[in-house]
């Protein structure tokens, strides 16, 4: 049954996952919380791992959740397959008429509407992660602030920021304690 | 052995791009347009438009396009397998190790530092994304006052969706469905009105 739920969840995520990696993460966040597959803390860890390893974030996240929930390679393969299946069906159907799609007024309207909404989806993902488990003390807020500034204004590589935050965490919460 | 070439090209793209979808675009272009000449630049742009209009993982959609265009289903199978295999193997290895050692105090400490950083990484691009989507216009020379006001009022859409998901626990999927239906209705309405 677990496998069936995983398949259906990730199929749904693949079917509605418009707007790139982070937008897909927000769908994964909702589904994994609903079924109790990941806590917000585990979700944050999963995002960090998906970001620092190569490949598309959606595939990384699906593989991770599949393994985390079932503990098997089969579970990982199932979630990854379920995630890409809807887009493959749609790509297959649209590939032959792709010249018409681009300038279709309905398509353009829908894509524009989704571009507004995706910003909200990603904002919600960030808000949901602001839990006391993820922000344990004043240093957490300081790290949040520094990484925010570093990304937005100095365009520092996100992987570098994750690794440095990990190093700071190691010093602050292990060596100093 | 075009199939093996498909597989290896996309394996390379999947293995060497950090940071997901959009970071992969230049690498895909270099490999399939410049090096292998499987598709030309115009087709590449069509491929981008199509893979972004279809939901799901953009890089996998792009891989499908190239493989399917050149060699049908078998080609698509090879390009897709290549593009997801590196992620799949690397994440499996990490997940297997991480689930075993995550409760070590050292690992816990590292992730205590990483978690707030992850939230910042998700939140930081929001401003630029909103502007790229045409919200929050400021340039008085380029836009009329009305356009500027509308672009700021549009912020209500992402703010309302974020609050609905965050506070009311509404599924993002419903928000996407409502957006698609409303967008279609608005286009239809405009079309009919312009005919009158």
């Amino acid at each position: 049954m677990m496998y069936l739920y995983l398949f259906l969840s990730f199929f749904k995520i693949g079917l509605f996952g418009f707007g790139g990696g982070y937008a897909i993460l927000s769908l994964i966040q909702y589904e994994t919380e609903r079924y109790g597959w990941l806590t917000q803390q585990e979700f944050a860890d999963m995002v960090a791992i998906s970001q620092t390893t190569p490949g598309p974030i959606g595939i990384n996240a699906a593989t991770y959740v599949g393994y985390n929930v079932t503990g098997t390679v089969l579970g990982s393969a199932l979630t990854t397959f379920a995630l890409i299946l809807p887009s493959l069906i749609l790509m297959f159907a649209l590939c032959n008429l792709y010249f018409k799609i681009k300038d279709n007024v309905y398509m353009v309207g829908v894509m524009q509407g989704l571009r507004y909404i995706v910003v909200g989806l990603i904002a919600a993902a960030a808000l949901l992660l602001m839990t006391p488990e993820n922000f344990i003390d004043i240093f957490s807020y300081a790290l949040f602030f520094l990484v925010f500034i570093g990304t937005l204004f100095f365009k520092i590589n996100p992987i570098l920021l994750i690794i440095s935050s990990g190093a700071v965490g190691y010093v602050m919460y292990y060596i100093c304690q | 052995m075009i199939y093996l070439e498909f597989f290896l090209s996309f394996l390379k793209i999947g293995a060497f791009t950090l940071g997901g979808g959009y970071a992969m675009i230049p690498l895909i272009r270099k490999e399939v347009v410049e090096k292998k000449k499987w598709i030309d630049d115009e087709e590449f742009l069509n491929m981008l438009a199509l893979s972004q209009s279809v939901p799901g993982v953009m890089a996998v959609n792009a891989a499908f396009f190239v493989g399917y265009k050149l060699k049908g289903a078998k080609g698509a199978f090879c390009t897709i397998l290549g593009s997801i295999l590196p992620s799949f193997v690397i994440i499996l290895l990490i997940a297997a190790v991480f689930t075993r050692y995550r409760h070590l105090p050292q690992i816990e400490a590292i992730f205590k530092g990483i978690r707030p950083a992850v939230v910042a990484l998700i939140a930081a691009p929001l401003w630029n994304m909103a502007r790229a989507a045409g919200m929050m216009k400021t340039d008085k020379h380029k836009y009329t006052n009305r356009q500027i006001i509308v672009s700021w009022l549009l912020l209500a859409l992402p703010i309302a969706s974020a609050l609905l998901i965050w506070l009311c626990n509404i599924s993002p999927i419903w928000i996407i469905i409502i957006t698609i239906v409303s967008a279609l209705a608005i286009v239809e309405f405009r079309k009919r009105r312009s005919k009158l």
Side-chain angles (χ1 to χ4, degrees), chain B:
Chain B
M1 266 323 274
I2 183 92
Y3 294 110
L4 188 67
E5 254 184 84
F6 277 166
F7 175 74
L8 291 177
S9 277
F10 279 87
L11 190 78
K12 207 163 73 183
I13 294 165
F16 293 107
T17 40
L18 283 158
Y22 295 98
M24 294 177 124
I25 296 174
L27 212 83
I28 298 177
R29 197 189 154 274
K30 200 171 167 198
E31 189 70 22
V32 304
V33 180
E34 280 179 24
K35 257 177 83 180
K36 304 283 185 182
K37 301 193 183 355
W38 284 328
I39 58 175
D40 59 27
D41 259 316
E42 200 198 323
E43 264 183 319
F44 183 76
L45 289 179
N46 284 325
M47 178 200 80
L48 278 188
L50 184 61
S51 20
Q52 284 170 340
S53 331
V54 170
V57 181
M58 206 212 75
V60 175
N61 295 347
F64 177 90
F65 183 95
V66 176
Y68 186 73
K69 185 106 213 328
L70 275 93
K71 288 284 168 197
K74 269 195 271 179
F77 179 79
C78 297
T79 50
I80 289 169
L81 195 67
S83 68
I84 62 177
L85 206 59
S87 296
F88 189 75
V89 173
I90 294 168
I91 290 287
L92 262 187
L93 291 174
I94 292 178
V97 174
F98 187 64
T99 43
R100 192 169 306 164
Y101 297 107
R102 63 175 302 158
H103 294 297
L104 285 180
Q106 291 93 327
I107 303 287
E108 251 309 302
I110 291 173
F111 276 88
K112 273 179 188 165
I114 287 178
R115 282 170 203 142
V118 165
V119 185
L121 283 179
I122 295 178
L126 286 172
W127 180 270
N128 290 330
M129 282 185 70
R131 297 196 70 128
M135 291 181 275
M136 303 196 292
K137 286 176 182 151
T138 45
D139 195 341
K140 285 211 165 117
H141 302 292
K142 259 166 87 184
Y143 306 104
T144 62
N145 277 337
R146 186 162 174 268
Q147 280 175 317
I148 292 175
I149 293 167
V150 169
S151 78
W152 282 84
L153 288 178
L154 278 172
L155 273 181
L157 293 173
I159 292 173
S161 359
L163 291 178
L164 283 172
I165 297 168
W166 183 42
L167 299 175
C168 310
N169 202 27
I170 291 192
S171 169
I173 290 174
W174 283 113
I175 301 201
I176 291 169
I177 293 175
I178 291 166
T179 306
I180 293 175
V181 173
S182 333
L184 291 175
I186 290 170
V187 173
E188 184 65 33
F189 175 74
R190 281 190 183 157
K191 240 183 161 178
R192 287 193 186 173
R193 201 179 52 178
S194 66
K195 269 185 202 155
L196 286 176

Side-chain angles (χ1 to χ4, degrees), chain A residues 87-124:
Chain A
S87 51
L88 295 188
I89 297 170
L90 286 170
M91 283 296 286
F92 179 75
L94 293 179
C95 247
N96 303 312
L97 24 125
Y98 73 96
F99 285 114
K100 292 164 205 159
I101 282 298
K102 219 176 34 156
D103 306 312
N104 182 296
V105 280
Y106 292 101
M107 200 68 186
V108 171
V110 167
M111 291 323 288
Q112 185 54 44
L114 287 172
R115 283 173 83 197
Y116 300 139
I117 293 304
V118 159
V119 178
L121 252 54
I122 296 171

